Amino acid sequence: MKHLKLTDVQQKKFLEPNHIHKKTIEITRDDGSKLSLPAFRVQYNNARGPYKGGIRYHPQADEDEVKALAALMAIKTAVVNIPFGGSKGGIQVNPKELSKKEVEAISRAYVRAFVDNIGPDIDVPAPDVNTNPDIMAWMRDEYEKATETYAPAVITGKPLSYGGSVGRDTATARGAFFILQELVEREGFDPKELRVVIQGFGNAGAHMAENLHGAGYTIVAISDSHGGIYGEEGLDPVRIAKYKKKTGSVSGEYCEGSVCDIEKMKMDNVRQVSNEELLELPCDILIPAALDSVITEKNADKIHAKIVLEIANGPTTPEADAILDKKKIKVVPDVLTNAGGVTVSYFEWSQGKSGEQWTESQVDDELKRIMIDAYREVSREAHREKLTYRQAAFVVGLKRIVEAMKVRGWL
Ligand code: NAD
């Protein structure tokens, strides 16, 4: 905050979200009973453009969580310098306990509840935890019905057949890959000599593994919620993805549940590792791409990587951050690393507004330019002010928001 040179009054104004919208949405369940659910939309800051942020369906989604995530979205869009603010939404529900019809009903009810608060130039939602392109399609449809408008830009993360953008499904990993490539080149490392460990093999982790494997990095360990596998000589993520699809787990080539083919593992020189052990393996680059708060004061000291690339949101606790900094481990923060997703959402929004349809290479080229520019800006700030990359990313983002707020006379 001291880098922003704000008065106390300005700081207070800056730290408060612009709007906290809370509603109770009600649907009729398949059995005819009524279900009432708390729903939120927190609009943190729109000095730089329309609010932008996902909607999550989760039993723990509450005002505080949504508020914190909305603030992070404002920082993230500012770090990559796309013309959006930050917001977040949520419904407090476990969607796994609902039928598909009921999930559609809560999605449409959410849009009706917040129809006056969202819009292509006001606030543009997107998928988040437990929400997906189908849900975005229902939401766009409900918004267009309620407002009697054609509004493909009201929401992003839509299916390709209904206003989505090519490259959105791979965007987060691709953006993180561009950042890592830039860092590796600047440090003078050779990708072929770098060993990578990835925690999480979902949308982001699996695509990242594929990108890195293709560029010659050696992926030595990969995990999912069932645990992981370690192979000192390198793993093939394409093969792992094939077996995961078939068996549901990254060690599916060797194990069925807890029963493993030890001979085959020995032959391929691989072994099973727990998710805790995985983080502490010898490697050059550690990529948390699953859950938050996995690197803590308990294990930070045992991390051997030179670089921690945060694809997951909030994988490192503040205590662990301080330990990693002392160990001179470079942590590339989530607000920079995983901003490729919201960046391609911006491309989708632009396409929705203009009626244009971008090609895959247009998306890829523009994503690369934006991610590398953001990396360079953060790196410059870090070196100039002797900050960690996380501190520098926050300074870069916050400065841009403050400048826009000042221009508008809000500060
Ligand atoms: P996903 O649901 O597709 O995949 C999550 C992966 O984590 C799965 O492989 C799952 O098995 C694994 N996992 C779950 N529990 C685990 C555990 N205890 N240990 C190890 N692995 C575990 O999710 P995703 O979209 O790949 O997102 C991963 C992370 O990246 C999340 O923190 C998310 O917030 C962040 N992120 C994703 C995007 C995106 O566009 N996908 C954008 C920004 C940030």
Side-chain angles (χ1 to χ4, degrees):
M1 270 292 173
K2 71 176 193 296
H3 293 268
L4 301 175
K5 300 186 179 71
L6 295 179
T7 64
D8 288 350
V9 176
Q10 285 174 326
Q11 259 192 47
K12 200 161 169 261
K13 217 166 165 183
F14 179 70
L15 290 172
E16 275 306 302
N18 289 355
H19 304 288
I20 299 175
H21 303 289
K22 282 186 270 190
K23 298 272 169 74
T24 302
I25 59 172
E26 196 177 84
I27 63 153
T28 305
R29 295 202 67 171
D30 295 346
D31 64 4
S33 63
K34 297 281 179 210
L35 177 67
S36 295
L37 300 165
F40 309 91
R41 189 77 189 160
V42 175
Q43 297 173 322
Y44 200 83
N45 190 290
N46 65 342
R48 301 182 56 265
Y51 299 104
K52 181 92 191 82
I55 301 172
R56 59 176 51 192
Y57 292 174
H58 200 273
Q60 265 106 47
D62 61 12
E63 189 180 320
D64 282 346
E65 184 189 65
V66 174
K67 210 162 120 178
L69 292 165
L72 276 180
M73 281 307 296
I75 306 284
K76 200 179 286 188
T77 54
V79 169
V80 283
N81 211 5
I82 55 175
F84 281 129
S87 56
K88 204 78 175 189
I91 303 181
Q92 206 173 87
V93 66
N94 182 357
K96 287 168 191 143
E97 289 169 0
L98 302 182
S99 69
K100 190 173 171 197
K101 198 169 145 217
E102 290 166 340
V103 170
E104 177 173 349
I106 63 167
S107 307
R108 290 185 181 275
Y110 183 91
V111 170
R112 286 195 301 275
F114 296 107
V115 72
D116 294 334
N117 311 115
I118 61 173
D121 297 316
I122 304 170
D123 185 352
V124 184
D128 196 75
V129 175
N130 291 331
T131 51
N132 57 33
D134 287 345
I135 292 174
M136 299 304 108
W138 293 324
M139 288 186 161
R140 169 185 164 187
D141 181 57
E142 193 63 28
Y143 180 84
E144 291 182 332
K145 273 189 189 135
T147 57
E148 296 183 1
T149 56
Y150 170 73
V154 69
I155 205 155
T156 60
K158 302 179 293 295
L160 259 182
S161 57
Y162 194 51
S165 175
V166 289
R168 176 60 190 90
D169 51 341
T170 53
T172 301
R174 195 77 182 141
F177 173 71
F178 289 139
I179 292 219
L180 184 65
Q181 283 284 80
E182 178 71 11
L183 194 166
V184 161
E185 198 183 313
R186 283 173 163 241
E187 298 281 335
F189 296 140
D190 177 359
K192 292 192 176 58
E193 286 170 8
L194 295 173
R195 292 159 306 153
V196 186
V197 167
I198 305 177
Q199 184 181 61
F201 201 67
N203 173 289
H207 285 122
M208 187 64 179
E210 231 176 82
N211 273 287
L212 293 172
H213 186 64
Y217 294 77
T218 305
I219 297 169
V220 291
I222 283 178
S223 71
D224 58 23
S225 56
H226 308 286
I229 51 170
Y230 173 56
E232 218 180 309
E233 288 152 30
L235 305 169
D236 176 354
V238 180
R239 227 165 80 190
I240 290 176
K242 200 176 86 191
Y243 280 97
K244 176 149 170 96
K245 209 167 168 193
K246 227 164 53 187
T247 65
S249 118
V250 293
S251 43
E253 185 175 355
Y254 306 98
C255 307
E256 242 188 87
S258 56
V259 183
C260 297
D261 184 339
I262 305 293
E263 277 314 306
K264 186 165 167 41
M265 289 180 104
K266 263 193 195 151
M267 237 159 51
D268 289 357
N269 206 6
V270 302
R271 67 176 170 89
Q272 277 193 302
V273 285
S274 69
N275 264 301
E276 292 71 38
E277 204 186 331
L278 175 116
L279 296 168
E280 299 166 14
L281 289 170
C283 67
D284 301 293
I285 302 163
L286 174 63
I287 306 182
L291 306 175
D292 63 10
S293 308
V294 290
I295 305 177
T296 66
E297 59 191 326
K298 290 205 180 95
N299 61 7
D301 210 29
K302 297 179 205 142
I303 283 171
H304 300 290
K306 294 187 186 79
I307 297 164
V308 174
L309 191 77
E310 294 185 340
I311 288 189
N313 278 316
T316 313
T317 65
E319 297 78 18
D321 223 13
I323 298 170
L324 297 182
D325 187 37
K326 248 195 214 146
K327 282 168 65 96
K328 303 228 177 313
I329 295 174
K330 189 168 282 202
V331 180
V332 191
D334 48 5
V335 287
L336 171 64
T337 310
N338 69 28
V342 72
T343 302
V344 176
S345 280
Y346 160 53
F347 303 160
E348 181 179 333
W349 174 80
S350 303
Q351 292 169 75
K353 281 184 82 78
S354 66
E356 278 176 27
Q357 283 188 312
W358 291 20
T359 61
E360 210 172 320
S361 63
Q362 256 175 302
V363 168
D364 207 51
D365 291 349
E366 193 59 3
L367 176 63
K368 184 174 183 180
R369 183 190 65 75
I370 288 179
M371 296 308 289
I372 290 180
D373 280 357
Y375 175 82
R376 288 182 181 164
E377 189 63 36
V378 168
S379 168
R380 259 197 300 274
E381 185 72 29
H383 288 111
R384 197 168 43 222
E385 300 293 336
K386 305 214 172 349
L387 301 173
T388 64
Y389 271 46
R390 189 185 312 283
Q391 290 163 337
F394 272 78
V395 170
V396 167
L398 292 176
K399 269 187 186 163
R400 287 184 176 141
I401 299 170
V402 165
E403 271 166 34
M405 288 177 83
K406 283 186 174 162
V407 169
R408 288 166 174 261
W410 297 352
L411 284 181

